[in-house]
Amino acid sequence: MNRLKILIAFLLIASHIVTAQHTNVSTPLAKNDMQWIQKVLDNWNLVCRKELKIKENPLPWIIFYDSTAAWHLNPDKKLLPPFEKTAYRFIYDRQNYELIRISHSMNVWVPDRAPVPMGSLPTVAMPYANNQKCFFIAPLPTLFHLLATPDYAVYLNFLFLGIYIHELTHTRQLPFVLSKLLQIQHNYKLPESIDDNTIENTFGKNETYKQLFFAEKGHLWNAVFNENTDSCIAHIEQAFRIADRRKKEFLSGDSLGYDKLDDIFISLEGSAMWAQYRIMLKTLQRTWTRRRHLGGYWRKHRHGRRMKD
C-alpha cells in the first residue's frame, strides 16, 4: 500500500457553515467499531507519553466514518452542520468524550473545506481554522475490513492502527509547521502548491539525483539491519556524506528553498514514522518479528522502483 500523503491546503476552500442543530437520538455503532475507537485513543495516549514525549492533550478533533455516517470526537460544535447526539462515551487521558453522529452519502463533511470523497478511504490529518488547528479523519473497521477477506482482518487492524498513529502525530505538527512552509514558499522560488512529494516531483526524473537518493537510502536500510555496530555506524556516515552531496548539487543556489522543505518534511515524516513504527512493534502478532515487520518493506523498496522523499 502506498504511503498515505499529507493533504496540505494553503488556500482553504470557503464553505457555507450551517448552524448546528442536534437531536438526542441513539444511533447504532458496531461493537467492533466501539472497541476500535477506544483502542485508537489508548494507543495515541501511549505514544504521546512514551514515544513522542509530548503532553497527551489537547485531543484533536477526530472524525471516524463508516458507509453511512461520520462519528465525531471532540469537535468544535459551533462549526458542525446538523448532528445527532449519541449515548456513546470514550475515555482519553481520564476525560470522557461524547460521540456525535453526522449522516453522509459518499462524501464526508469536514470543517472549512469541501466534503471529502469517502471512496478513496481518506486517512489523513487536515488543517482548519486558518491553519491554526488540525483534525484527523479515518475509516472505521467495518469499512476498511472490506478491503480484504475476513482472515486478513487482524493484519488490516495492525496496518491501519499504525497509519492512524502516523496521521495523529501530524495533528500536533501541522498548526506549527504550516506557517513555516508558507514563509519558505514566499521567500524562495518554489511551486505554487507544495507537499511532502514536491522534491520527488521536481527531481524524480533526474538520473543523478535518483542515484544519490537511492544510494543514501540503501545505506540507511543497511544500517538498520546490520547487527555489527561499527558497520552500522559506517553505513550511517556514508549516508550523511551522500546526503550532503545531494543537497549541494541539487538543493542549493536557486533551489535552496527545496533544501528548507527537505528539512521540514524529513522532520515531519520522520517523527510520524517513528510513532507508527513503535506502535506497530507493540502490536506485532506472536509469529511476527521486528525483522519481518521492517523486512517486507525493505525488500519491496530497497531498489527503489518509486522515489519517495
Side-chain angles (χ1 to χ4, degrees), residues 17 20 34 49 60 62 69 71 80 121 142 166 170 176-177 195 197 209 217 258 268 291 301 309:
I17 304 301
M34 292 177 59
R49 288 186 291 108
I62 298 178
W71 306 83
L80 289 174
L121 283 184
T142 51
H166 180 114
H170 288 326
F176 171 76
V177 165
D195 59 21
N197 289 310
Y209 186 93
K217 184 177 179 180
Y258 290 100
L268 276 173
R291 179 171 286 273
H301 295 278
D309 209 353

PDB file of all heavy atoms in Angstrom, residues 17 20 34 49 60 62 69 71 80 121 142 166 170 176-177 195 197 209 217 258 268 291 301 309:
ATOM      1  N   ILE A  17     -21.236  27.444   6.374  1.00  0.00           N
ATOM      2  CA  ILE A  17     -21.369  26.773   7.658  1.00  0.00           C
ATOM      3  C   ILE A  17     -22.832  26.797   8.077  1.00  0.00           C
ATOM      4  O   ILE A  17     -23.418  27.862   8.250  1.00  0.00           O
ATOM      5  CB  ILE A  17     -20.498  27.451   8.735  1.00  0.00           C
ATOM      6  CG1 ILE A  17     -19.044  27.502   8.273  1.00  0.00           C
ATOM      7  CG2 ILE A  17     -20.614  26.730  10.058  1.00  0.00           C
ATOM      8  CD1 ILE A  17     -18.425  26.168   7.986  1.00  0.00           C
ATOM      9  N   ALA A  20     -25.431  24.674  13.729  1.00  0.00           N
ATOM     10  CA  ALA A  20     -25.545  23.325  14.269  1.00  0.00           C
ATOM     11  C   ALA A  20     -26.864  23.137  15.009  1.00  0.00           C
ATOM     12  O   ALA A  20     -27.267  23.969  15.813  1.00  0.00           O
ATOM     13  CB  ALA A  20     -24.374  23.052  15.205  1.00  0.00           C
ATOM     14  N   MET A  34     -16.758   0.308  18.187  1.00  0.00           N
ATOM     15  CA  MET A  34     -16.637   0.938  19.503  1.00  0.00           C
ATOM     16  C   MET A  34     -15.314   0.565  20.160  1.00  0.00           C
ATOM     17  O   MET A  34     -14.601   1.419  20.702  1.00  0.00           O
ATOM     18  CB  MET A  34     -17.808   0.507  20.393  1.00  0.00           C
ATOM     19  CG  MET A  34     -19.168   1.046  19.966  1.00  0.00           C
ATOM     20  SD  MET A  34     -20.501   0.415  21.015  1.00  0.00           S
ATOM     21  CE  MET A  34     -19.962   1.010  22.632  1.00  0.00           C
ATOM     22  N   ARG A  49       2.911   9.881  25.408  1.00  0.00           N
ATOM     23  CA  ARG A  49       3.676   9.825  26.660  1.00  0.00           C
ATOM     24  C   ARG A  49       5.021   9.126  26.507  1.00  0.00           C
ATOM     25  O   ARG A  49       6.047   9.630  26.968  1.00  0.00           O
ATOM     26  CB  ARG A  49       2.864   9.114  27.748  1.00  0.00           C
ATOM     27  CG  ARG A  49       1.690   9.906  28.283  1.00  0.00           C
ATOM     28  CD  ARG A  49       1.029   9.208  29.462  1.00  0.00           C
ATOM     29  NE  ARG A  49       0.349   7.982  29.054  1.00  0.00           N
ATOM     30  CZ  ARG A  49       0.769   6.750  29.337  1.00  0.00           C
ATOM     31  NH1 ARG A  49       1.899   6.570  30.014  1.00  0.00           N
ATOM     32  NH2 ARG A  49       0.086   5.696  28.944  1.00  0.00           N
ATOM     33  N   PRO A  60      -7.149  16.049  19.414  1.00  0.00           N
ATOM     34  CA  PRO A  60      -7.622  16.741  18.211  1.00  0.00           C
ATOM     35  C   PRO A  60      -9.073  16.377  17.894  1.00  0.00           C
ATOM     36  O   PRO A  60      -9.607  15.394  18.410  1.00  0.00           O
ATOM     37  CB  PRO A  60      -6.678  16.225  17.119  1.00  0.00           C
ATOM     38  CG  PRO A  60      -6.275  14.868  17.602  1.00  0.00           C
ATOM     39  CD  PRO A  60      -6.172  14.987  19.096  1.00  0.00           C
ATOM     40  N   ILE A  62     -11.446  14.485  16.004  1.00  0.00           N
ATOM     41  CA  ILE A  62     -11.299  13.214  15.301  1.00  0.00           C
ATOM     42  C   ILE A  62     -12.616  12.855  14.624  1.00  0.00           C
ATOM     43  O   ILE A  62     -13.680  12.908  15.250  1.00  0.00           O
ATOM     44  CB  ILE A  62     -10.866  12.092  16.259  1.00  0.00           C
ATOM     45  CG1 ILE A  62      -9.493  12.408  16.869  1.00  0.00           C
ATOM     46  CG2 ILE A  62     -10.828  10.753  15.525  1.00  0.00           C
ATOM     47  CD1 ILE A  62      -9.028  11.371  17.873  1.00  0.00           C
ATOM     48  N   ALA A  69     -22.326   7.184   7.954  1.00  0.00           N
ATOM     49  CA  ALA A  69     -22.231   8.292   8.903  1.00  0.00           C
ATOM     50  C   ALA A  69     -20.781   8.576   9.275  1.00  0.00           C
ATOM     51  O   ALA A  69     -19.897   7.729   9.129  1.00  0.00           O
ATOM     52  CB  ALA A  69     -23.035   7.981  10.173  1.00  0.00           C
ATOM     53  N   TRP A  71     -18.542   9.933  12.625  1.00  0.00           N
ATOM     54  CA  TRP A  71     -18.655   9.948  14.079  1.00  0.00           C
ATOM     55  C   TRP A  71     -17.559  10.846  14.629  1.00  0.00           C
ATOM     56  O   TRP A  71     -16.371  10.569  14.469  1.00  0.00           O
ATOM     57  CB  TRP A  71     -18.522   8.522  14.622  1.00  0.00           C
ATOM     58  CG  TRP A  71     -19.484   7.555  13.993  1.00  0.00           C
ATOM     59  CD1 TRP A  71     -19.337   6.898  12.810  1.00  0.00           C
ATOM     60  CD2 TRP A  71     -20.755   7.156  14.510  1.00  0.00           C
ATOM     61  NE1 TRP A  71     -20.425   6.108  12.554  1.00  0.00           N
ATOM     62  CE2 TRP A  71     -21.315   6.237  13.582  1.00  0.00           C
ATOM     63  CE3 TRP A  71     -21.465   7.470  15.672  1.00  0.00           C
ATOM     64  CZ2 TRP A  71     -22.557   5.640  13.781  1.00  0.00           C
ATOM     65  CZ3 TRP A  71     -22.708   6.862  15.875  1.00  0.00           C
ATOM     66  CH2 TRP A  71     -23.238   5.972  14.938  1.00  0.00           C
ATOM     67  N   LEU A  80     -20.271  22.685  13.329  1.00  0.00           N
ATOM     68  CA  LEU A  80     -20.929  21.485  12.812  1.00  0.00           C
ATOM     69  C   LEU A  80     -22.208  21.799  12.047  1.00  0.00           C
ATOM     70  O   LEU A  80     -22.950  22.716  12.407  1.00  0.00           O
ATOM     71  CB  LEU A  80     -21.271  20.537  13.962  1.00  0.00           C
ATOM     72  CG  LEU A  80     -20.117  19.808  14.656  1.00  0.00           C
ATOM     73  CD1 LEU A  80     -20.648  19.029  15.846  1.00  0.00           C
ATOM     74  CD2 LEU A  80     -19.395  18.877  13.688  1.00  0.00           C
ATOM     75  N   LEU A 121     -11.163   6.256   0.788  1.00  0.00           N
ATOM     76  CA  LEU A 121     -10.812   5.864   2.160  1.00  0.00           C
ATOM     77  C   LEU A 121      -9.763   6.804   2.767  1.00  0.00           C
ATOM     78  O   LEU A 121      -8.684   6.366   3.189  1.00  0.00           O
ATOM     79  CB  LEU A 121     -10.298   4.422   2.206  1.00  0.00           C
ATOM     80  CG  LEU A 121     -11.338   3.306   2.117  1.00  0.00           C
ATOM     81  CD1 LEU A 121     -10.666   1.948   2.280  1.00  0.00           C
ATOM     82  CD2 LEU A 121     -12.432   3.464   3.158  1.00  0.00           C
ATOM     83  N   THR A 142     -15.421  -1.531  10.151  1.00  0.00           N
ATOM     84  CA  THR A 142     -16.489  -2.077   9.323  1.00  0.00           C
ATOM     85  C   THR A 142     -16.349  -1.656   7.867  1.00  0.00           C
ATOM     86  O   THR A 142     -16.860  -2.337   6.976  1.00  0.00           O
ATOM     87  CB  THR A 142     -17.862  -1.613   9.832  1.00  0.00           C
ATOM     88  OG1 THR A 142     -17.867  -0.193   9.992  1.00  0.00           O
ATOM     89  CG2 THR A 142     -18.208  -2.273  11.144  1.00  0.00           C
ATOM     90  N   HIS A 166       0.349   7.550  12.852  1.00  0.00           N
ATOM     91  CA  HIS A 166       1.168   8.407  11.991  1.00  0.00           C
ATOM     92  C   HIS A 166       0.462   9.744  11.746  1.00  0.00           C
ATOM     93  O   HIS A 166       1.034  10.822  11.948  1.00  0.00           O
ATOM     94  CB  HIS A 166       1.409   7.678  10.663  1.00  0.00           C
ATOM     95  CG  HIS A 166       2.237   8.445   9.681  1.00  0.00           C
ATOM     96  ND1 HIS A 166       3.488   8.022   9.289  1.00  0.00           N
ATOM     97  CD2 HIS A 166       2.019   9.603   8.997  1.00  0.00           C
ATOM     98  CE1 HIS A 166       3.990   8.887   8.420  1.00  0.00           C
ATOM     99  NE2 HIS A 166       3.104   9.857   8.222  1.00  0.00           N
ATOM    100  N   HIS A 170       0.749  14.015  13.003  1.00  0.00           N
ATOM    101  CA  HIS A 170       0.711  15.231  12.174  1.00  0.00           C
ATOM    102  C   HIS A 170      -0.249  16.278  12.728  1.00  0.00           C
ATOM    103  O   HIS A 170      -0.053  17.474  12.485  1.00  0.00           O
ATOM    104  CB  HIS A 170       0.331  14.869  10.744  1.00  0.00           C
ATOM    105  CG  HIS A 170       1.401  14.150   9.972  1.00  0.00           C
ATOM    106  ND1 HIS A 170       2.748  14.399  10.153  1.00  0.00           N
ATOM    107  CD2 HIS A 170       1.324  13.187   9.001  1.00  0.00           C
ATOM    108  CE1 HIS A 170       3.450  13.632   9.345  1.00  0.00           C
ATOM    109  NE2 HIS A 170       2.617  12.895   8.640  1.00  0.00           N
ATOM    110  N   PHE A 176       1.839  24.221  13.666  1.00  0.00           N
ATOM    111  CA  PHE A 176       3.109  24.936  13.821  1.00  0.00           C
ATOM    112  C   PHE A 176       3.856  25.029  12.496  1.00  0.00           C
ATOM    113  O   PHE A 176       4.411  26.071  12.140  1.00  0.00           O
ATOM    114  CB  PHE A 176       3.982  24.224  14.849  1.00  0.00           C
ATOM    115  CG  PHE A 176       5.392  24.750  14.922  1.00  0.00           C
ATOM    116  CD1 PHE A 176       5.670  25.950  15.553  1.00  0.00           C
ATOM    117  CD2 PHE A 176       6.437  24.043  14.341  1.00  0.00           C
ATOM    118  CE1 PHE A 176       6.971  26.440  15.604  1.00  0.00           C
ATOM    119  CE2 PHE A 176       7.732  24.516  14.379  1.00  0.00           C
ATOM    120  CZ  PHE A 176       8.001  25.726  15.029  1.00  0.00           C
ATOM    121  N   VAL A 177       3.834  23.951  11.721  1.00  0.00           N
ATOM    122  CA  VAL A 177       4.666  23.853  10.519  1.00  0.00           C
ATOM    123  C   VAL A 177       4.108  24.632   9.336  1.00  0.00           C
ATOM    124  O   VAL A 177       4.867  25.192   8.538  1.00  0.00           O
ATOM    125  CB  VAL A 177       4.862  22.368  10.144  1.00  0.00           C
ATOM    126  CG1 VAL A 177       5.402  22.220   8.731  1.00  0.00           C
ATOM    127  CG2 VAL A 177       5.798  21.692  11.135  1.00  0.00           C
ATOM    128  N   ASP A 195       3.914  20.010  -1.117  1.00  0.00           N
ATOM    129  CA  ASP A 195       3.590  18.997  -0.123  1.00  0.00           C
ATOM    130  C   ASP A 195       4.807  18.102   0.045  1.00  0.00           C
ATOM    131  O   ASP A 195       5.905  18.426  -0.430  1.00  0.00           O
ATOM    132  CB  ASP A 195       2.343  18.200  -0.511  1.00  0.00           C
ATOM    133  CG  ASP A 195       2.480  17.483  -1.851  1.00  0.00           C
ATOM    134  OD1 ASP A 195       3.633  17.251  -2.298  1.00  0.00           O
ATOM    135  OD2 ASP A 195       1.450  17.168  -2.458  1.00  0.00           O
ATOM    136  N   ASN A 197       5.655  15.542  -1.371  1.00  0.00           N
ATOM    137  CA  ASN A 197       6.154  14.933  -2.605  1.00  0.00           C
ATOM    138  C   ASN A 197       6.727  15.958  -3.574  1.00  0.00           C
ATOM    139  O   ASN A 197       7.050  15.614  -4.717  1.00  0.00           O
ATOM    140  CB  ASN A 197       5.017  14.160  -3.300  1.00  0.00           C
ATOM    141  CG  ASN A 197       4.639  12.908  -2.542  1.00  0.00           C
ATOM    142  OD1 ASN A 197       5.491  12.109  -2.177  1.00  0.00           O
ATOM    143  ND2 ASN A 197       3.365  12.749  -2.283  1.00  0.00           N
ATOM    144  N   TYR A 209      20.245  12.624  -9.500  1.00  0.00           N
ATOM    145  CA  TYR A 209      19.577  12.793  -8.203  1.00  0.00           C
ATOM    146  C   TYR A 209      19.061  11.450  -7.702  1.00  0.00           C
ATOM    147  O   TYR A 209      19.231  11.111  -6.518  1.00  0.00           O
ATOM    148  CB  TYR A 209      18.421  13.791  -8.315  1.00  0.00           C
ATOM    149  CG  TYR A 209      17.800  14.113  -6.977  1.00  0.00           C
ATOM    150  CD1 TYR A 209      18.233  15.204  -6.234  1.00  0.00           C
ATOM    151  CD2 TYR A 209      16.786  13.309  -6.438  1.00  0.00           C
ATOM    152  CE1 TYR A 209      17.680  15.489  -4.993  1.00  0.00           C
ATOM    153  CE2 TYR A 209      16.230  13.581  -5.204  1.00  0.00           C
ATOM    154  CZ  TYR A 209      16.675  14.671  -4.490  1.00  0.00           C
ATOM    155  OH  TYR A 209      16.134  14.941  -3.251  1.00  0.00           O
ATOM    156  N   LYS A 217      19.557   6.115   0.659  1.00  0.00           N
ATOM    157  CA  LYS A 217      18.513   5.283   1.253  1.00  0.00           C
ATOM    158  C   LYS A 217      19.014   3.864   1.522  1.00  0.00           C
ATOM    159  O   LYS A 217      18.739   3.276   2.580  1.00  0.00           O
ATOM    160  CB  LYS A 217      17.315   5.256   0.298  1.00  0.00           C
ATOM    161  CG  LYS A 217      16.083   4.522   0.793  1.00  0.00           C
ATOM    162  CD  LYS A 217      14.970   4.648  -0.241  1.00  0.00           C
ATOM    163  CE  LYS A 217      13.719   3.916   0.190  1.00  0.00           C
ATOM    164  NZ  LYS A 217      12.641   4.046  -0.834  1.00  0.00           N
ATOM    165  N   TYR A 258      14.126  24.292  -1.727  1.00  0.00           N
ATOM    166  CA  TYR A 258      13.852  22.860  -1.644  1.00  0.00           C
ATOM    167  C   TYR A 258      14.603  22.223  -0.470  1.00  0.00           C
ATOM    168  O   TYR A 258      14.126  21.268   0.142  1.00  0.00           O
ATOM    169  CB  TYR A 258      14.237  22.164  -2.949  1.00  0.00           C
ATOM    170  CG  TYR A 258      13.331  22.509  -4.101  1.00  0.00           C
ATOM    171  CD1 TYR A 258      13.710  23.463  -5.043  1.00  0.00           C
ATOM    172  CD2 TYR A 258      12.097  21.885  -4.253  1.00  0.00           C
ATOM    173  CE1 TYR A 258      12.878  23.786  -6.110  1.00  0.00           C
ATOM    174  CE2 TYR A 258      11.256  22.195  -5.314  1.00  0.00           C
ATOM    175  CZ  TYR A 258      11.653  23.154  -6.233  1.00  0.00           C
ATOM    176  OH  TYR A 258      10.819  23.472  -7.277  1.00  0.00           O
ATOM    177  N   LEU A 268       8.915  16.104   9.803  1.00  0.00           N
ATOM    178  CA  LEU A 268       7.506  15.728   9.900  1.00  0.00           C
ATOM    179  C   LEU A 268       7.324  14.218   9.750  1.00  0.00           C
ATOM    180  O   LEU A 268       6.739  13.553  10.617  1.00  0.00           O
ATOM    181  CB  LEU A 268       6.701  16.433   8.803  1.00  0.00           C
ATOM    182  CG  LEU A 268       6.207  17.856   9.027  1.00  0.00           C
ATOM    183  CD1 LEU A 268       5.588  18.392   7.748  1.00  0.00           C
ATOM    184  CD2 LEU A 268       5.201  17.901  10.155  1.00  0.00           C
ATOM    185  N   ARG A 291      12.270  -7.925  12.433  1.00  0.00           N
ATOM    186  CA  ARG A 291      12.915  -8.014  11.122  1.00  0.00           C
ATOM    187  C   ARG A 291      11.883  -8.240  10.022  1.00  0.00           C
ATOM    188  O   ARG A 291      11.973  -7.655   8.951  1.00  0.00           O
ATOM    189  CB  ARG A 291      13.958  -9.136  11.128  1.00  0.00           C
ATOM    190  CG  ARG A 291      14.666  -9.320   9.792  1.00  0.00           C
ATOM    191  CD  ARG A 291      15.818 -10.289   9.930  1.00  0.00           C
ATOM    192  NE  ARG A 291      16.927  -9.668  10.631  1.00  0.00           N
ATOM    193  CZ  ARG A 291      17.878  -8.957  10.058  1.00  0.00           C
ATOM    194  NH1 ARG A 291      17.839  -8.746   8.753  1.00  0.00           N
ATOM    195  NH2 ARG A 291      18.841  -8.443  10.758  1.00  0.00           N
ATOM    196  N   HIS A 301      11.169  -1.964  -1.300  1.00  0.00           N
ATOM    197  CA  HIS A 301      11.557  -0.604  -1.681  1.00  0.00           C
ATOM    198  C   HIS A 301      13.067  -0.367  -1.765  1.00  0.00           C
ATOM    199  O   HIS A 301      13.487   0.707  -2.144  1.00  0.00           O
ATOM    200  CB  HIS A 301      10.958   0.397  -0.685  1.00  0.00           C
ATOM    201  CG  HIS A 301       9.466   0.420  -0.727  1.00  0.00           C
ATOM    202  ND1 HIS A 301       8.762   1.128  -1.663  1.00  0.00           N
ATOM    203  CD2 HIS A 301       8.537  -0.193   0.056  1.00  0.00           C
ATOM    204  CE1 HIS A 301       7.465   0.976  -1.466  1.00  0.00           C
ATOM    205  NE2 HIS A 301       7.303   0.177  -0.432  1.00  0.00           N
ATOM    206  N   ASP A 309      10.441  10.840  -1.092  1.00  0.00           N
ATOM    207  CA  ASP A 309      11.307  11.704  -0.294  1.00  0.00           C
ATOM    208  C   ASP A 309      10.543  12.231   0.901  1.00  0.00           C
ATOM    209  O   ASP A 309       9.358  12.395   0.848  1.00  0.00           O
ATOM    210  CB  ASP A 309      11.763  12.885  -1.146  1.00  0.00           C
ATOM    211  CG  ASP A 309      13.116  13.374  -0.695  1.00  0.00           C
ATOM    212  OD1 ASP A 309      13.612  12.891   0.329  1.00  0.00           O
ATOM    213  OD2 ASP A 309      13.677  14.242  -1.375  1.00  0.00           O
TER     214      ASP A 309
END
